[in-house]
Amino acid sequence: MATDVKVPVLGESITEATLGEWLKQPGDAVEADEPIASLETDKVALEVPAPEAGVLGPLQVEVGDTVEVGAVIATIEAGNGSAAKAAPAAKAEAAPAPAASEEPAASMTLSPAVRRLVLEHGVDPSKISGTGKDGRLTKDDVEKYVKSGTSAPLVEKGAATGAEAPAATPAAAGGNRNEERVRMTRLRQTVAKRLKDAQDTAALLTTFNDVDMTAVMETRSKYKELFARKHGVKLGFMGFFAKAACLALKDVPAVNAQIDGEEIVYHDYVDISVAVSAPNGLVVPVIRNAEAMSFADVENTIGDFGKRAKDGTLTMADMKGGTFTISNGGVFGSLMSTPIINPPQSAVLGLHRIEKRPVVMPDGSIQARPMMYLALSYDHRLIDGREAVTFLVRIKEAIEDPTRLLIDL
């Protein structure tokens, strides 16, 4: 007797999702609670576990289909996977199987984003070591493999495949001009809508400052080994900036507030949203009550977010709320940016890469110092320019003299 695989409860007020990828195929043996599919909601990707052990039966939906909570997407049948592959749903049978040269490593399970990178760079995914959950490939895996220079291109279409090559099309003088259309994920559609809404609603403005990272870098160098031994986590830069932001938000509460209709809501707590890279894009989990946390608490929380983002196990609750955002584009090499606020929040702090630049010191000498540009984008309807500048000055003071973080100055 077959058991239905249903779309699980997705979270508060979430009634539907998009089928992101099948992690198992018809005829594959599955264990109870083993992930067999990935669903994409407006904020996170969720895995659908097998309700019991057996063999995955016909698939009822295809990648890209929208499914509602409780909908049947497949069945689990009795067996151990040794039987012939189960036939896919009629909907899938109608689609012709892609040629081997068009769909690299068809036996591998690749997310749409990873598949797009594989096709774009013409690499063989079977030669790349996956670091995602259950050894699956992530975008970072493919990008690192390409940058390493060890990638070998796949066989081009129609070349030594045993299949008749299609009629040749005159090539443009500049080379191939291929195009590919890929449906936007539900997460990317939501991000696009929210960012555009922020631009249309808020009076966005960005102010800049720079900060000398010498003191923080010296503090990290001096205490990083002791910190790691005691707390089991590395001492990073985000801990310093999160604690500095808590002090600055206390001094300039408007930056930690939000507009609700004709009212301003001020928060006496600090819930910091931090941008974290995930296989399907950036996600923004929340460090709650950051003002009451130690450096170790902040670093442990961020490290846990990063790991769970990579594994795809972040939940809707992890990203709900937030009163202020910190986005670190410096990890990707960004020198300067104008980040967009995360509604209904009113401000976002952008961090950037550290590089040595000549700085005139108080004694008139010129020294090469490790400098970072800071950017604060804010809603000018609520936050005045004076408040925005004051906030960044408070951040600068705390980072250039970390003792202030200990004595609450």
Side-chain angles (χ1 to χ4, degrees):
M1 181 176 178
T3 301
D4 290 338
V5 180
K6 298 182 179 180
V7 177
V9 175
L10 301 172
E12 182 180 356
S13 74
I14 306 298
T15 61
E16 63 180 24
T18 300
L19 198 292
E21 62 177 312
W22 284 106
L23 307 179
K24 294 288 186 177
Q25 295 300 316
D28 288 348
V30 297
E31 299 294 333
D33 297 325
E34 182 180 7
I36 61 174
S38 175
L39 299 176
E40 295 175 349
T41 69
D42 292 346
K43 292 187 176 182
V44 294
L46 304 171
E47 291 183 337
V48 180
E52 62 180 35
V55 176
L56 182 61
L59 309 181
Q60 305 299 321
V61 297
E62 294 181 342
V63 171
D65 286 353
T66 297
V67 293
E68 296 183 349
V69 173
V72 177
I73 60 174
T75 57
I76 301 295
E77 301 175 349
N80 57 13
S82 58
K85 294 282 187 177
K91 185 177 180 180
E93 286 178 352
S101 60
E102 295 178 353
E103 201 70 17
S107 61
M108 298 183 66
T109 300
L110 305 177
S111 70
V114 172
R115 185 178 299 277
R116 184 165 63 251
L117 276 180
V118 166
L119 293 172
E120 178 182 334
H121 294 288
V123 297
D124 185 351
S126 65
K127 298 184 182 300
I128 308 174
S129 299
T131 61
K133 190 171 184 179
D134 298 327
R136 295 202 295 270
L137 292 185
T138 66
K139 291 173 62 178
D140 288 342
D141 296 332
V142 178
E143 289 170 349
K144 289 177 181 178
Y145 183 74
V146 172
K147 290 179 180 178
S148 69
T150 60
S151 58
L154 292 171
V155 178
E156 294 184 359
K157 296 182 181 180
T161 62
E164 184 178 350
T169 302
N176 293 333
R177 291 166 56 83
N178 300 325
E179 293 182 355
E180 179 188 9
R181 289 182 179 269
V182 179
R183 182 183 178 86
M184 292 176 68
T185 64
R186 182 179 291 268
L187 174 61
R188 176 52 57 186
Q189 291 179 48
T190 301
V191 170
K193 182 179 184 301
R194 286 174 60 85
L195 292 179
K196 185 57 182 173
D197 286 347
Q199 287 184 318
D200 292 341
T201 303
L204 291 178
L205 187 62
T206 304
T207 188
F208 300 93
N209 211 322
D210 61 1
V211 59
D212 188 339
M213 297 293 292
T214 300
V216 165
M217 294 176 72
E218 289 178 348
T219 301
R220 288 185 69 219
S221 178
K222 184 176 181 179
Y223 295 111
K224 63 181 180 181
E225 293 183 3
L226 181 61
F227 187 90
R229 285 200 302 269
K230 181 174 182 179
H231 300 293
V233 65
K234 292 182 179 179
L235 178 59
F237 290 121
M238 282 297 290
F240 288 93
F241 279 102
K243 298 305 293 182
C246 289
L247 287 181
L249 292 170
K250 181 179 179 181
D251 288 347
V252 192
V255 181
N256 196 44
Q258 67 185 57
I259 294 177
D260 184 10
E262 296 182 353
E263 298 179 330
I264 299 175
V265 181
Y266 291 95
H267 307 100
D268 64 356
Y269 55 88
V270 178
D271 286 353
I272 299 180
S273 303
V274 288
V276 176
S277 181
N280 292 330
L282 288 178
V283 292
V284 192
V286 180
I287 304 173
R288 305 192 189 280
N289 294 112
E291 80 286 354
M293 285 186 168
S294 66
F295 275 77
D297 292 335
V298 172
E299 294 293 354
N300 270 309
T301 301
I302 294 174
D304 178 62
F305 284 157
K307 181 179 183 301
R308 290 198 288 139
K310 187 175 182 180
D311 293 342
T313 56
L314 284 174
T315 66
M316 300 291 290
D318 292 323
M319 287 172 281
K320 185 178 180 181
T323 62
F324 179 74
T325 294
I326 299 179
S327 177
N328 186 6
V331 296
F332 304 108
S334 172
L335 175 65
M336 187 179 292
S337 67
T338 56
I340 300 177
I341 64 173
N342 180 23
Q345 297 174 23
S346 299
V348 52
L349 176 66
L351 310 182
H352 303 90
R353 75 170 186 251
I354 301 170
E355 64 177 9
K356 285 193 173 183
R357 294 197 292 271
V359 177
V360 179
M361 305 303 292
D363 62 1
S365 63
I366 298 178
Q367 298 181 17
R369 309 285 284 191
M371 304 297 294
M372 175 194 288
Y373 286 117
L374 304 177
L376 182 74
S377 290
Y378 58 97
D379 188 345
H380 210 349
R381 297 178 302 165
L382 172 61
I383 302 168
D384 294 331
R386 174 183 58 82
E387 293 172 312
V389 171
T390 300
F391 176 85
L392 277 188
V393 169
R394 294 290 182 270
I395 296 286
K396 178 181 175 71
E397 291 172 345
I399 295 300
E400 293 185 343
D401 183 8
T403 304
R404 289 173 173 266
L405 300 176
L406 300 177
I407 58 179
D408 194 18
L409 284 181

